[in-house]
Amino acid sequence: MGKARILAAAFAALCLAAPASAADQGVTDTEILLGEVEPLSGPPGLLGIAHNIGVKLALAEANANGGINGRKLRLIAEDDGYVSSRTIQSLRKLISVDRVFALTSLSGSGQAVASISLVEQTGIPTIVSIGPVEPLYNPPRENVFVVGQSYEEGMRKLALYLAEKHPDARWGVVTQDDDYGVALREGLEKAKAEKNFNVVFESIYARGQKDFSSEIRRARDANVDVFIAGGIISENVAMVKEMETLGMKPAVGIFWPGRVSAVLNLIGPASDGLYAVDYVEPLGSEAGKAFVELAKKYLSEDEVKHINRYTMTGYAGARVLLSAIERCGDDLTWKCVNGQLAQTKDLKTGVMAPITFEQGSRFSNQPLHIMKADYANKTFVLVDD
């Protein structure tokens, strides 16, 4: 190893060993530097790109109003390709090399869980608004704040709604073999304890699976009336398209990662009537239309085309962080921002219910709504209000 490489390695090790002492890193008299990690390539990029646009919107809106306490905001976004090892590598870069002041995303649920120890050890203010799974907020960590609702509670809400609408139905359930799938299955079990519906077919698939013909044929043979498609994007598309091929027409429930217009476009008319659950507003609602108009004011035409529900979660999470930073005034330290984040109460973002962190909690616990796909208008409409 040459001298230059030895010095570089020593510097990197020093940065990683002592980030907590540099509590005001990423801040100058004129700028606050923020960072985030998310999938910006491959199929999960549909979610990460949209989330990144939402964060950029919140920052652009704040900068247009003079920044925060005289400082403009700048964002560095890293692409992890939805791979946990790359998530951790990217976070180390952001914290110790770029020396960002705070984080606006830890990528998806599995990636965030894999990196939570590193983030907790540094003490850097961190917002989680893509994959809000329970291990990220229970037990609560001083510097990690989760905006959204848990997959478990979302699945419970969706299952209870379908059970009430389809009493005595035969259920089929297909879920993924990771933290996301575990959370959905736990939510389903909670709902079953309350409604005791009849699951006659259940299958767990390996992440990355593309062909679901076997699972759907077995669901058909089991005569399911209600089907939970527990995939993310392409998996749900494949499942519903296979049902269409076989002439099956059960009531189908999907989860919020797939509640995007791109899924309706990929499935086609067979997507009409899909049930979904979410805590952010549909884009076709008045709140959704107002959000798109706001985005048109600050984002490019191409960026506006990529807006989906994750743009709203990115925007809301960034607004929570920026509000806490603003309340710190000139005392811009990690300790102050983490303390102000914990005191967030009834913060309105326009894209979900007002955000509050209760005492001792780092989870905003957003209320949920059931929605139904409207293929003709490529959107979802509320059905439980």
Side-chain angles (χ1 to χ4, degrees):
M1 180 183 292
K3 183 176 180 181
R5 293 182 63 186
I6 292 174
L7 290 174
F11 176 72
L14 177 63
C15 291
L16 286 171
S21 64
D24 57 353
Q25 70 177 41
V27 178
T28 68
D29 291 341
T30 59
E31 182 182 88
I32 301 170
L33 183 59
L34 306 175
E36 66 179 19
V37 183
E38 60 227 324
L40 298 173
S41 59
L46 182 66
L47 315 181
I49 291 171
H51 182 276
N52 175 247
I53 290 172
V55 175
K56 290 168 68 176
L57 173 58
L59 270 58
E61 184 182 30
N63 283 337
N65 292 313
I68 296 182
N69 300 319
R71 296 182 174 106
K72 293 297 181 70
L73 301 152
R74 185 163 65 90
L75 177 70
I76 298 176
E78 294 288 332
D79 177 16
D80 68 356
Y82 210 55
V83 177
S84 296
S85 60
R86 290 178 59 184
T87 310
I88 295 172
Q89 183 181 26
S90 297
L91 287 170
R92 287 184 180 276
K93 172 184 175 293
L94 287 171
I95 297 170
S96 300
V97 179
D98 298 320
R99 300 181 68 78
V100 300
F101 178 72
L103 297 167
T104 52
S105 168
L106 294 182
S107 191
S109 57
Q111 293 72 34
V113 170
S115 59
I116 194 67
S117 295
L118 168 67
V119 172
E120 183 181 15
Q121 289 170 11
T122 65
I124 187 171
T126 301
I127 300 293
V128 175
S129 52
I130 292 183
V133 293
E134 186 172 354
L136 299 174
Y137 60 82
N138 187 20
R141 295 167 176 83
E142 190 67 22
N143 61 316
V144 180
F145 297 82
V146 179
V147 174
Q149 182 51 266
S150 70
Y151 292 139
E152 295 93 331
E153 181 59 19
M155 185 70 256
R156 173 182 166 274
K157 172 86 174 181
L158 177 62
L160 290 177
Y161 180 86
L162 291 173
E164 184 173 327
K165 290 292 181 183
H166 300 276
D168 303 320
R170 296 166 63 86
W171 287 51
V173 180
V174 177
T175 51
Q176 194 162 272
D177 67 341
D178 60 1
D179 291 332
Y180 172 62
V182 169
L184 297 195
R185 292 191 290 277
E186 289 178 351
L188 190 69
E189 287 302 314
K190 290 181 179 178
K192 281 175 64 180
E194 296 177 57
K195 283 289 186 180
N196 195 30
F197 44 82
N198 185 23
V199 178
V200 297
F201 169 72
E202 192 164 6
S203 180
I204 298 174
Y205 69 90
R207 191 167 72 175
Q209 181 175 325
K210 300 183 184 304
D211 184 351
F212 290 85
S213 57
S214 174
E215 287 86 350
I216 300 306
R217 287 179 184 278
R218 285 187 285 155
R220 180 199 59 182
D221 294 343
N223 295 317
V224 301
D225 307 301
V226 172
F227 183 85
I228 299 296
I232 299 178
I233 299 287
S234 58
E235 302 88 352
N236 289 346
V237 172
M239 291 183 213
V240 178
K241 292 291 287 183
E242 190 65 27
M243 289 180 197
E244 182 182 30
T245 300
L246 298 179
M248 296 172 61
K249 295 183 179 179
V252 178
I254 63 174
F255 221 62
W256 56 68
R259 195 191 66 74
V260 295
S261 58
V263 166
L264 305 187
N265 287 327
L266 290 168
I267 294 175
S271 66
D272 196 50
L274 291 179
Y275 288 97
V277 61
D278 210 336
Y279 51 88
V280 302
E281 295 282 345
L283 285 173
S285 68
E286 290 304 313
K289 292 175 182 175
F291 180 72
V292 173
E293 289 305 310
L294 177 70
K296 288 179 179 178
K297 187 175 178 181
Y298 295 108
L299 301 177
S300 69
E301 184 176 343
D302 183 63
E303 288 172 326
V304 171
K305 290 179 182 177
H306 288 86
I307 287 176
N308 63 37
R309 58 131 359 239
Y310 283 94
T311 313
M312 293 181 168
T313 65
Y315 176 78
R319 283 285 307 278
V320 169
L321 176 63
L322 299 186
S323 177
I325 290 175
E326 184 173 28
R327 294 196 298 275
C328 283
D330 291 332
D331 180 28
L332 199 46
T333 63
W334 287 358
K335 181 179 180 181
C336 177
V337 172
N338 286 330
Q340 288 297 329
L341 281 168
Q343 296 176 40
T344 298
K345 184 174 179 59
D346 294 330
L347 180 72
K348 296 179 180 177
T349 65
V351 298
M352 61 179 70
I355 295 169
T356 295
F357 293 114
E358 301 290 349
Q359 186 173 9
S361 172
R362 298 293 191 267
F363 174 51
S364 71
N365 197 17
Q366 298 304 119
L368 292 158
H369 299 288
I370 301 299
M371 306 174 186
K372 201 170 183 179
D374 174 6
Y375 174 72
N377 295 299
K378 303 296 188 296
T379 188
F380 288 78
V381 295
L382 296 172
V383 295
D384 64 342
D385 281 354

